[in-house]
Amino acid sequence: MKRFFAVLLVLCMALCIVACNKFDPAAKSEGVMTYEEYAAAEIDAEVVIEAYVQATQSWWENKITVYLQDPDGAYFAYELACSEADAAKLTKGTKIKVTGTKGAWEGEVEIMDGTFEIMEGTWVATPTDVTSLLGTDDLIKHQNKLVSFKGMTIASITYKNDAPGDDIYVDVTKDGKTYSFCVERYLTGPDTDVYKAFAELKAGDVVDIEGFLYWYQGVNPHITAVSKVN
């Protein structure tokens, strides 16, 4: 009898392992685009994608802006139609299916006029270090991904409307070139650690930065974390 239960336990464990291994975060449902197909789609084309919520901006007037990613690429879904109740469900890692129109604004490729439905499965991205790609044509290939930049020197920090509470514009330098980053208040507002951290930083400080690789007339990452390099 003991032998029987031992064999049964082994079989159960094997089945659990197989079940766990079946989940593929890059898999797409029927009729859903791969990231490669999405990237190749024309502007103004209808697109259908599945990806995982990495962050959201503030819900407002039945709309929400979502940063999405899967193992193959990332998406910026601008002002998805969304009830306040559904907005609360869009936690980090949640998988959603989005139907909308591929658009572009000042260099940022995004999904516009979209709707979504929540799917099964969860997945969270880890930051991709793109420091070495700054100033190259390859950087835009990582647009909207969660990325990191190492050893950036702060050139200036200014607040929109010249007072804390709104967006923070951060110019940083690397290898003699200057890049414009942003602390987006609707993503990381005044109550967040990253927003507060910039009150303690100044020009000349060297920092590591994480954020979403947003584009506005050139690279303009939305910062989600910053740490001073000792």
Side-chain angles (χ1 to χ4, degrees), residues 122-136:
T122 59
W123 180 81
V124 175
T126 55
T128 299
D129 187 345
V130 294
T131 312
S132 64
L133 300 181
L134 280 166
T136 74

Side-chain angles (χ1 to χ4, degrees), residues 56-116:
T56 63
Q57 293 187 11
S58 303
W59 175 86
W60 179 251
E61 293 185 341
N62 290 316
K63 295 178 181 179
I64 193 166
T65 295
V66 187
Y67 301 79
L68 295 159
Q69 191 166 333
D70 65 27
D72 297 320
Y75 316 80
F76 183 73
Y78 181 71
E79 292 192 345
L80 290 175
C82 181
S83 68
E84 187 171 13
D86 282 344
K89 300 174 185 176
L90 296 179
T91 54
K92 188 174 183 178
T94 300
K95 184 177 184 180
I96 62 174
K97 178 179 178 180
V98 177
T99 301
T101 301
K102 184 177 179 180
W105 185 71
E106 300 290 357
E108 170 63 24
V109 177
E110 58 193 31
I111 299 174
M112 305 171 64
D113 302 319
T115 59
F116 73 92

Side-chain angles (χ1 to χ4, degrees), residues 43 103-110 140 143-144 213-219:
I43 297 299
W105 185 71
E106 300 290 357
E108 170 63 24
V109 177
E110 58 193 31
I140 198 169
Q143 188 176 109
N144 297 320
L213 194 57
Y214 189 79
W215 222 260
Y216 177 75
Q217 298 179 356
V219 60

Side-chain angles (χ1 to χ4, degrees), residues 65-205:
T65 295
V66 187
Y67 301 79
L68 295 159
Q69 191 166 333
D70 65 27
D72 297 320
Y75 316 80
F76 183 73
Y78 181 71
E79 292 192 345
L80 290 175
C82 181
S83 68
E84 187 171 13
D86 282 344
K89 300 174 185 176
L90 296 179
T91 54
K92 188 174 183 178
T94 300
K95 184 177 184 180
I96 62 174
K97 178 179 178 180
V98 177
T99 301
T101 301
K102 184 177 179 180
W105 185 71
E106 300 290 357
E108 170 63 24
V109 177
E110 58 193 31
I111 299 174
M112 305 171 64
D113 302 319
T115 59
F116 73 92
E117 57 182 291
I118 295 176
M119 311 291 286
E120 291 186 1
T122 59
W123 180 81
V124 175
T126 55
T128 299
D129 187 345
V130 294
T131 312
S132 64
L133 300 181
L134 280 166
T136 74
D137 292 338
D138 287 332
L139 182 61
I140 198 169
K141 296 177 183 178
H142 297 272
Q143 188 176 109
N144 297 320
K145 281 185 181 179
L146 181 63
V147 297
S148 63
F149 302 89
K150 306 294 185 181
M152 310 297 291
T153 301
I154 292 178
S156 65
I157 299 171
T158 57
Y159 291 90
K160 184 178 180 180
N161 297 321
D162 298 321
D166 214 320
D167 295 348
I168 305 175
Y169 302 136
V170 184
D171 281 354
V172 295
T173 62
K174 183 72 174 178
D175 300 327
K177 295 183 178 180
T178 301
Y179 306 93
S180 296
F181 287 29
C182 179
V183 179
E184 166 60 61
R185 70 169 301 243
Y186 294 116
L187 172 64
T188 48
D191 293 334
T192 63
D193 290 341
V194 64
Y195 196 100
K196 295 174 182 177
F198 279 94
E200 307 299 325
L201 295 172
K202 61 184 185 301
D205 286 341

